[in-house]
């Protein structure tokens, strides 16, 4: 769900005013503004009070703010999605937003399955999934042949750009990956795991893809402009079954 759609839905029940509107970003998580954690994750919708942003070094890309003090200077709004709500409705709206986002995540399976049924094209599904994740996505078979990559959000990792150009990973690379502790200890499920590699600074999540209880490949999400969120683990695991169902894989 994007910011404008969220505001439209919330405005059906609550008083809400848009102070600033920048890029209409997808909302993948919600969080409360505090001074101990990073409050600038692009795809997170932040909730807080005007005083919390008075001396902030940066303003979140997306936030819902309750104004409590007319003496607080106007918020710097350039480039951000900022909406103002009544003080006494802030936390109620936060809870509603959390419910909406969770419902959106649950709907991703149905959305991608519909795309698979309509197109029978794995690249279309991978691309749509990457947009929902906000990061680049690849699907590889068990031999590390790259079956599909996202087009809307291209790969930025130089190592995987090279792999994608070739269409496969080299023997030495495959052996190194298989020796990674996170890979060796991964369960035989679609549960997403974080994979780190000393040859690349980009964080990655991987989820196994199965057909008839046999692993036939894996999904790889590579962090780009959008930082990893807890919801990414669940979403990638949900996407995994659609990566094979009803699809015609490209032939060599």
């Amino acid at each position: 769900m994007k910011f404008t759609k969220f505001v439209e839905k919330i405005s059906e029940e609550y008083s809400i005013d848009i102070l600033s509107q920048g890029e209409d970003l997808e909302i993948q998580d919600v969080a409360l503004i505090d001074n101990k954690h990073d409050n600038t994750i692009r795809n997170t919708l932040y909730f807080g009070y005007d005083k919390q942003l008075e001396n902030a070094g940066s303003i979140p890309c997306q936030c819902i703010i309750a104004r409590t003090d007319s003496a607080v200077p106007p918020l710097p709004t350039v480039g951000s999605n900022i909406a103002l709500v009544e003080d006494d409705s802030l936390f109620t709206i936060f809870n509603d937003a959390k419910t909406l986002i969770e419902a959106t995540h649950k709907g991703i399976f149905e959305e991608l399955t519909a795309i698979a049924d309509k197109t029978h094209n794995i690249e279309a599904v991978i691309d749509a999934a990457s947009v929902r994740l906000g990061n680049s996505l690849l699907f590889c078979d068990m031999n590390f042949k790259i079956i599909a990559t996202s087009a809307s959000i291209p790969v930025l990792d130089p190592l995987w750009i090279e792999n994608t150009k070739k269409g496969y990973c080299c023997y030495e690379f495959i052996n190194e990956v298989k020796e990674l502790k996170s890979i060796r200890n991964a369960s035989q499920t679609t549960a997403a795991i974080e994979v780190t590699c000393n040859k690349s600074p980009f964080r990655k999540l991987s989820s196994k893809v199965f057909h008839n209880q046999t692993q036939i490949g894996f999904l790889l999400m590579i962090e780009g402009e959008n930082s990893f969120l807890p919801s990414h683990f669940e979403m990638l695991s949900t996407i995994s079954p659609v990566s094979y169902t009803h699809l015609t894989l490209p032939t060599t």
Side-chain angles (χ1 to χ4, degrees):
M1 178 176 293
K2 292 190 175 183
F3 182 80
T4 52
K5 183 66 177 178
F6 171 77
V7 170
E8 178 185 332
K9 193 164 188 65
I10 290 298
S11 64
E12 295 174 2
E13 188 173 353
Y14 305 96
S15 174
I16 182 168
D17 297 313
I18 296 179
L19 298 184
S20 174
Q21 195 160 356
E23 182 182 354
D24 197 18
L25 299 170
E26 191 78 27
I27 300 171
Q28 295 181 340
D29 206 353
V30 294
L32 296 173
I33 296 172
D34 62 44
N35 57 7
K36 290 186 178 180
H37 301 89
D38 181 12
N39 295 317
T40 59
I41 299 175
R42 281 168 52 84
N43 290 98
T44 294
L45 178 62
Y46 292 93
F47 289 75
Y49 296 99
D50 48 5
K51 288 184 178 181
Q52 291 177 282
L53 299 179
E54 186 177 2
N55 297 312
S58 60
I59 300 296
C61 291
Q62 310 189 85
C63 56
I64 305 295
I65 300 299
R67 183 173 288 281
T68 59
D69 188 349
S70 59
V72 174
L75 299 174
T77 59
V78 177
S80 295
N81 293 323
I82 302 179
L84 191 67
V85 297
E86 299 294 335
D87 181 14
D88 58 2
S89 64
L90 181 68
F91 291 107
T92 305
I93 295 175
F94 174 86
N95 288 333
D96 286 352
K98 195 170 186 298
T99 301
L100 282 171
I101 299 308
E102 288 173 352
T104 301
H105 290 166
K106 290 178 182 177
I108 192 172
F109 180 85
E110 288 77 11
E111 177 186 330
L112 295 179
T113 299
I115 293 173
D117 288 338
K118 181 178 180 180
T119 67
H120 297 281
N121 186 312
I122 192 168
E123 292 183 344
V125 173
I126 293 299
D127 195 55
S130 76
V131 172
R132 293 296 300 271
L133 292 166
N135 284 302
S136 57
L137 188 66
L138 303 93
F139 175 38
C140 305
D141 68 13
M142 294 300 290
N143 295 317
F144 282 70
K145 177 183 176 182
I146 299 170
I147 304 299
T149 62
S150 56
S152 297
I153 304 180
V155 175
L156 300 177
D157 183 339
L159 183 62
W160 278 93
I161 288 176
E162 185 62 29
N163 289 338
T164 301
K165 286 180 179 178
K166 294 186 296 185
Y168 61 89
C169 302
C170 68
Y171 179 77
E172 293 77 12
F173 177 84
I174 295 172
N175 283 341
E176 287 187 26
V177 170
K178 289 182 176 179
E179 289 302 313
L180 294 174
K181 186 177 180 180
S182 56
I183 297 296
R184 288 189 285 109
N185 295 338
S187 63
Q188 287 299 307
T189 68
T190 60
I193 60 170
E194 184 166 352
V195 182
T196 57
C197 172
N198 57 16
K199 291 187 177 181
S200 170
F202 290 80
R203 297 172 66 199
K204 303 171 183 68
L205 289 185
S206 179
S207 177
K208 295 178 179 178
V209 177
F210 295 90
H211 177 59
N212 292 334
Q213 299 183 329
T214 299
Q215 185 183 356
I216 53 98
F218 62 92
L219 291 175
L220 187 72
M221 184 182 86
I222 304 177
E223 186 179 60
E225 291 185 357
N226 299 307
S227 301
F228 280 175
L229 302 170
S231 58
H232 279 136
F233 288 82
E234 179 185 351
M235 292 173 71
L236 193 63
S237 180
T238 301
I239 291 166
S240 181
V242 194
S243 301
Y244 185 86
T245 308
H246 307 306
L247 298 179
T248 300
L249 299 181
T251 58
T252 55

